Amino acid sequence: MANDLRLGVAGLGTVGTSLVRIIHNKARALEKRCGRRIIVTAVSARNRDKDRGIDLSEANWFDDPVALAESDGIDVFVELMGGDSGAAEDSVRAALKASKHVVTANKALLAKHGVELARSAEANNVSLNYEAAVAGGIPIVKTMRESLAGNDVTRVYGILNGTCNYILTRMEREGLAFAECLADAQRLGYAEADPTFDIEGFDAAHKLAILTSLAFGCEISADSIYVEGITSITTADIEAADELGYRIKLLGVAQRTDTGIEQRVHPTMVPKSSAIARIDGVLNAVAVDGDAVGEVVLAGPGAGGNATASSVLADIADIGRGDRAPTLGKSADELEPYVRARMRKHEGGYYIRLSVFDRPGAFATIAQEMAAHNISLESIVQRRRAIKSDAPGNSHPGEPAPVILITYETTEEAIKEALGAIDAQNVIADKPQMIRIEKLT
Amino acid sequence: MANDLRLGVAGLGTVGTSLVRIIHNKARALEKRCGRRIIVTAVSARNRDKDRGIDLSEANWFDDPVALAESDGIDVFVELMGGDSGAAEDSVRAALKASKHVVTANKALLAKHGVELARSAEANNVSLNYEAAVAGGIPIVKTMRESLAGNDVTRVYGILNGTCNYILTRMEREGLAFAECLADAQRLGYAEADPTFDIEGFDAAHKLAILTSLAFGCEISADSIYVEGITSITTADIEAADELGYRIKLLGVAQRTDTGIEQRVHPTMVPKSSAIARIDGVLNAVAVDGDAVGEVVLAGPGAGGNATASSVLADIADIGRGDRAPTLGKSADELEPYVRARMRKHEGGYYIRLSVFDRPGAFATIAQEMAAHNISLESIVQRRRAIKSDAPGNSHPGEPAPVILITYETTEEAIKEALGAIDAQNVIADKPQMIRIEKLT
């Protein structure tokens, strides 16, 4: 047996506590799987006196995570504090510099400083592992970093935020409004008191930024992501999607295009028959299209103490066994610069919901503007009330009624210009709703 | 850069040819991902003169795969010949003995000799990797061997045979009979001229035997698997399943029970809402229930030259990077003996289709026998023709009509005894159909 693998754990929240408990309960099994004992020799957290229900008697306590990171008593620094700066950043940098392996669940830190940290890990000949930073318990980082080594990836996409998926699932199943589902998510602990980070898509964007680098062997560029959250989605959209054979999911999508790499997080119409459409509630899923393998889909719990700790432990076990995969799949110096695709060139079908005044010629105006921008319509659905505006003899402007259009493949530019032109002619009551349709196999 | 990693490839069929082509086309990318060049220095196949459309000019040709396996000119022996004995077995044994790493896609060989080969790999300090042996392009071996290190697995199940899944999918979608779908599968190259191995469940059983060992840390025991193929499934079953909210899939299931480990391959009713129900056509999927992570599902192509080569390459890349995971997740000497659960104790719901004579008292007999064996019925569906047998005054025995019963949880023993008792009373025309219902989340 090799020497014990000594862990220093910074951050004893839900994940840190689960991790320490599992390591304690499964000591013997872990030893067999790693060929050496895994022991927690040092910990750090904000509150020393809190009873976490775990035995920390054999671990040295550090008030300062940076001191823990640099301590001689550890081989691996496990960062579970979170945040893209401050203590998390300082301690991870210090650990790598001190030639300690680092395991982290911190997506924000990786999205912001990943390439630089990868370079430091390489220079100090240690591992920087972060399976838990993307899609919780799903082994997507290892799959992309190791299992798809023989593939050129053309696209990666997924449901990367469990809070949004929970809200959309409840809205769909129960016909509840967004606000009501959000309140429930907060009550159940699936959403923070300030839910902005989740529901506006920023959390998904951080995870996507990491996946993009792994997929395309390029530098991480979280700032280049087009991000749109789910706050504008209504039950009317979800019902219309259902009728048309789709479900609405907040997807993160990264793909290679002729002009560079496109990264986007936004509500997306996915065909009901697709695997991703079946991912409900707080689950996450990631699909990767590789040129050799085809499409591989991984699904599972995207959050939760034990599920996240499972991924942290996998990273630790890799270090224990001596597996040293490069942080981002290859040497940081070999990463290509990130070249951003021109988003407005994105091509695909679109779902559009308009609130149309029941007024003569209103629908003709819409049809004319669509045609003028070379947008062909695959289907038109008028919901609840019929629109009589184009019927002869109807000259009394009425209440607005929803009209749903599904377009054939077109560009985002064309859609935006057409909607702008329609808006300028006073035929619609509200801001148009526009949801991209993703082509899935 | 480290030394080149030199491969000897034995078997140049679809997978071998794809592998050599990908290694040639992606030489530079693979070098970056592995930190060293991957080169094919030797090959062996039955026919030297065949034009495979790949460049073998720099590879030494061996007529004898065992000589290739022992050759000084290779670091890794890649076995793609297939078969659980003969050249495949001899050459893999020879390679390990000569301290060559082995990568194989050979499920039959692993299912039969896996533990012994694992012991040899360990003794000679080399890797034995076999990602492609289970579920083709899906990285399930790595996931179970490495990513779930912190979990005790309670159950693993999956769609492990693409041929059967293709046939069941076509039967369901098009209402075609089994024989017709099988003929199409053969015409399209999804099934062999002799399809027994696939449609009787033996191929799925080999894969399950390997997954079971990885899941529970026990020795491989392919002979202990209860195996039942899909040849008895009719469109009547598929239609009844659909009506009742289920789909029929050939599942391989392994789970821990009080009496030992249960391994079974059989047609299974899975709820339409489950992720596994959505896996159509030639795709495979594997779900693993871990005590820390919850349920993780991996889906993707289960066969095909490029998809399988993708997994073979992942195994090669691991060796290139120096990742040395134990063959079956821990040292072969640490594997627990396989203790077989008493299968007749398996508990769950059952689907039963009976062809019932339209005769006075027939249905009463069935209901009485079910009750006598403590089997409660969740639903009863009479299809096509109503059964009038229990109506007063109907004394003319008619043609048999199908009756479908869904039971609540019971034991297989009770079901078999009840059906035996029913059969003995001349109320049913054919052998009863019985399909297990799997409880899925």
Side-chain angles (χ1 to χ4, degrees):
Chain A
M1 285 281 168
N3 292 339
D4 294 347
L5 189 72
R6 301 166 305 164
L7 313 181
V9 179
L12 292 172
T14 318
V15 179
T17 306
S18 291
L19 177 71
V20 173
R21 188 180 299 115
I22 295 173
I23 289 173
H24 187 260
N25 291 345
K26 304 197 176 182
R28 189 75 192 100
L30 284 167
E31 185 176 352
K32 286 184 189 171
R33 289 172 196 152
C34 301
R36 58 204 288 196
R37 285 211 307 163
I38 310 282
I39 51 173
V40 178
T41 53
V43 293
S44 173
R46 261 188 291 238
N47 183 351
R48 185 165 185 168
D49 301 323
K50 188 174 170 185
D51 180 10
R52 298 175 173 88
I54 50 174
D55 179 11
L56 296 171
S57 58
E58 288 178 41
N60 286 321
W61 183 276
F62 285 79
D63 287 322
D64 176 11
V66 175
L68 168 59
E70 291 170 336
S71 136
D72 283 340
I74 68 164
D75 306 302
V76 183
F77 179 65
V78 183
E79 187 278 302
L80 301 172
M81 296 176 287
D84 65 2
S85 58
E89 184 189 1
D90 295 343
S91 59
V92 167
R93 285 186 192 279
L96 295 173
K97 213 170 164 184
S99 293
K100 313 288 181 192
H101 302 289
V102 170
V103 173
T104 178
N106 190 332
K107 54 211 149 237
L109 182 69
L110 263 294
K112 191 168 173 190
H113 301 295
V115 176
E116 209 185 326
L117 296 174
R119 206 166 270 128
S120 175
E122 246 172 86
N124 293 289
N125 199 26
V126 289
S127 286
L128 170 53
N129 290 347
Y130 51 93
E131 185 64 82
V134 184
I138 302 174
I140 187 64
V141 171
K142 184 177 271 281
T143 293
M144 296 188 73
R145 199 158 80 160
E146 303 177 15
S147 297
L148 299 179
N151 288 265
D152 288 329
V153 173
T154 51
R155 176 172 64 168
V156 58
Y157 64 94
I159 294 171
L160 300 171
N161 183 275
T163 308
C164 290
N165 207 48
Y166 170 84
I167 292 172
L168 292 172
T169 303
R170 291 274 323 260
M171 288 176 74
E172 182 182 313
R173 286 199 189 150
E174 298 167 50
L176 299 174
F178 173 81
E180 200 171 338
C181 297
L182 171 59
D184 274 356
Q186 288 172 312
R187 200 170 40 78
L188 293 164
Y190 298 154
E192 307 284 335
D194 176 1
T196 313
F197 200 69
D198 287 317
I199 64 177
E200 295 295 357
F202 301 124
D203 172 76
H206 281 161
K207 296 167 184 167
L208 183 66
I210 299 168
L211 290 178
T212 301
S213 172
L214 287 167
F216 306 115
C218 62
E219 293 182 348
I220 298 172
S221 182
D223 296 339
S224 311
I225 302 178
Y226 172 84
V227 184
E228 193 182 306
I230 62 165
T231 53
S232 75
I233 303 296
T234 65
T235 48
D237 295 323
I238 287 175
E239 282 164 22
D242 182 56
E243 254 178 55
L244 294 159
Y246 293 95
R247 302 182 78 183
I248 299 176
K249 295 293 184 186
L250 182 75
L251 285 197
V253 183
Q255 66 192 102
R256 256 196 207 289
T257 75
D258 292 343
T259 62
I261 291 164
E262 180 178 296
Q263 295 184 95
R264 48 199 166 83
V265 171
H266 52 68
T268 309
M269 308 270 281
V270 297
K272 278 186 197 174
S273 60
S274 64
I276 212 95
R278 282 279 137 193
I279 306 301
D280 285 331
V282 293
L283 293 182
N284 279 197
V286 183
V288 192
D289 297 339
D291 63 344
V293 74
E295 182 165 287
V296 173
V297 183
L298 279 69
N306 284 334
T308 309
S310 169
S311 284
V312 172
L313 252 173
D315 283 347
I316 293 168
D318 279 353
I319 293 167
R321 285 200 329 278
D323 184 9
R324 299 273 178 282
T327 306
L328 294 164
K330 55 187 181 181
S331 164
D333 290 334
E334 297 275 11
L335 295 170
E336 291 168 27
Y338 180 86
V339 178
R340 182 179 188 164
R342 286 188 290 144
M343 172 71 179
R344 293 175 73 86
K345 272 293 191 193
H346 167 64
E347 295 185 1
Y350 288 82
Y351 158 102
I352 294 160
R353 176 170 52 80
L354 302 170
S355 192
V356 181
F357 287 122
D358 193 0
R359 182 179 288 170
F363 198 76
T365 302
I366 292 165
Q368 278 159 17
E369 287 301 343
M370 290 309 215
H373 291 85
N374 281 315
I375 298 166
S376 304
L377 299 178
E378 186 187 297
S379 50
I380 300 165
V381 181
Q382 303 185 3
R383 290 179 59 79
R384 291 196 203 108
R385 310 175 52 227
I387 297 205
K388 304 176 216 86
S389 52
D390 290 324
N394 179 347
S395 57
H396 302 291
E399 290 294 295
V403 172
I404 281 119
L405 310 174
I406 298 285
T407 79
Y408 281 109
E409 198 159 300
T410 179
T411 64
E412 188 142 342
E413 199 165 8
I415 292 284
K416 289 198 165 157
E417 285 176 7
L419 293 180
I422 290 165
D423 201 17
Q425 294 179 62
N426 289 320
V427 292
I428 55 175
D430 296 317
K431 189 169 166 293
Q433 171 72 295
M434 183 267 276
I435 302 176
R436 294 162 193 84
I437 299 171
E438 196 72 20
K439 272 182 290 185
L440 303 177
T441 47
Chain B
M1 285 282 169
N3 292 339
D4 295 348
L5 189 72
R6 301 165 306 163
L7 312 182
V9 180
L12 290 172
T14 317
V15 178
T17 306
S18 291
L19 176 70
V20 174
R21 187 182 298 116
I22 295 172
I23 290 173
H24 187 260
N25 291 345
K26 304 198 175 177
R28 189 76 191 99
L30 283 169
E31 187 177 349
K32 285 184 190 171
R33 288 172 198 154
C34 301
R36 57 204 287 197
R37 283 209 309 162
I38 310 283
I39 52 173
V40 178
T41 53
V43 293
S44 173
R46 262 189 292 241
N47 182 351
R48 183 163 186 168
D49 300 324
K50 189 174 169 184
D51 180 10
R52 299 177 172 86
I54 50 174
D55 179 11
L56 296 170
S57 59
E58 288 176 41
N60 286 322
W61 183 275
F62 285 78
D63 287 321
D64 175 12
V66 175
L68 167 59
E70 292 170 335
S71 136
D72 283 342
I74 67 165
D75 306 303
V76 183
F77 178 65
V78 184
E79 188 277 303
L80 300 172
M81 296 176 287
D84 65 2
S85 57
E89 184 189 0
D90 296 343
S91 60
V92 166
R93 285 187 192 279
L96 294 173
K97 213 168 163 185
S99 293
K100 313 290 182 189
H101 302 289
V102 170
V103 174
T104 178
N106 191 333
K107 56 210 147 238
L109 182 69
L110 263 294
K112 192 168 173 187
H113 302 293
V115 176
E116 208 185 326
L117 296 174
R119 205 166 271 131
S120 176
E122 247 172 87
N124 293 288
N125 199 24
V126 288
S127 286
L128 169 54
N129 290 347
Y130 52 93
E131 184 63 83
V134 184
I138 303 174
I140 186 65
V141 172
K142 185 179 269 284
T143 294
M144 296 188 73
R145 201 159 78 162
E146 304 177 15
S147 297
L148 300 179
N151 288 264
D152 288 329
V153 173
T154 51
R155 178 171 64 167
V156 56
Y157 64 93
I159 294 172
L160 300 171
N161 183 274
T163 308
C164 290
N165 207 47
Y166 170 83
I167 291 171
L168 292 173
T169 303
R170 290 273 324 259
M171 286 175 76
E172 181 181 315
R173 285 197 189 152
E174 297 167 53
L176 299 174
F178 173 80
E180 200 171 340
C181 297
L182 172 59
D184 274 358
Q186 289 174 311
R187 201 171 41 75
L188 293 164
Y190 297 152
E192 307 285 334
D194 176 1
T196 312
F197 200 69
D198 287 317
I199 63 175
E200 295 295 356
F202 301 124
D203 173 76
H206 281 162
K207 296 167 185 166
L208 182 66
I210 299 168
L211 291 178
T212 301
S213 173
L214 288 166
F216 306 113
C218 61
E219 293 184 348
I220 298 173
S221 183
D223 295 339
S224 312
I225 303 178
Y226 172 84
V227 183
E228 193 184 306
I230 61 166
T231 53
S232 75
I233 303 296
T234 65
T235 48
D237 295 322
I238 287 175
E239 282 165 22
D242 181 57
E243 255 179 55
L244 295 159
Y246 293 95
R247 302 181 77 182
I248 299 175
K249 295 292 185 187
L250 182 75
L251 286 199
V253 183
Q255 66 192 103
R256 254 194 211 288
T257 75
D258 293 341
T259 62
I261 292 165
E262 181 179 294
Q263 297 184 91
R264 47 197 167 86
V265 172
H266 52 67
T268 310
M269 309 270 281
V270 296
K272 277 186 197 172
S273 60
S274 64
I276 212 94
R278 282 278 137 195
I279 305 300
D280 285 332
V282 294
L283 293 183
N284 280 196
V286 183
V288 193
D289 296 339
D291 65 342
V293 74
E295 181 165 286
V296 173
V297 183
L298 280 69
N306 285 335
T308 309
S310 168
S311 283
V312 172
L313 253 172
D315 282 346
I316 294 168
D318 279 353
I319 294 168
R321 285 200 330 276
D323 183 10
R324 299 273 178 281
T327 305
L328 293 165
K330 55 186 179 182
S331 165
D333 290 334
E334 298 274 11
L335 295 170
E336 291 169 26
Y338 179 86
V339 177
R340 183 180 186 164
R342 285 188 292 146
M343 172 71 179
R344 294 174 73 88
K345 272 294 190 191
H346 167 64
E347 295 186 359
Y350 289 82
Y351 158 101
I352 293 160
R353 177 170 51 79
L354 302 170
S355 191
V356 180
F357 287 122
D358 193 359
R359 185 179 287 171
F363 197 76
T365 302
I366 293 165
Q368 278 159 15
E369 288 300 343
M370 292 311 227
H373 291 85
N374 283 315
I375 298 165
S376 303
L377 301 177
E378 185 186 300
S379 49
I380 299 165
V381 181
Q382 305 185 359
R383 290 180 59 79
R384 294 198 201 105
R385 312 173 50 225
I387 297 204
K388 303 175 216 85
S389 51
D390 289 324
N394 180 346
S395 58
H396 303 291
E399 290 294 297
V403 171
I404 280 117
L405 311 174
I406 299 284
T407 79
Y408 281 108
E409 198 160 300
T410 179
T411 66
E412 189 143 340
E413 200 164 8
I415 292 284
K416 288 198 168 158
E417 285 175 7
L419 293 180
I422 290 166
D423 201 15
Q425 295 180 59
N426 289 318
V427 292
I428 55 174
D430 297 317
K431 189 173 166 290
Q433 171 72 294
M434 184 267 277
I435 302 175
R436 293 165 194 83
I437 299 171
E438 195 71 19
K439 271 182 291 186
L440 303 175
T441 47

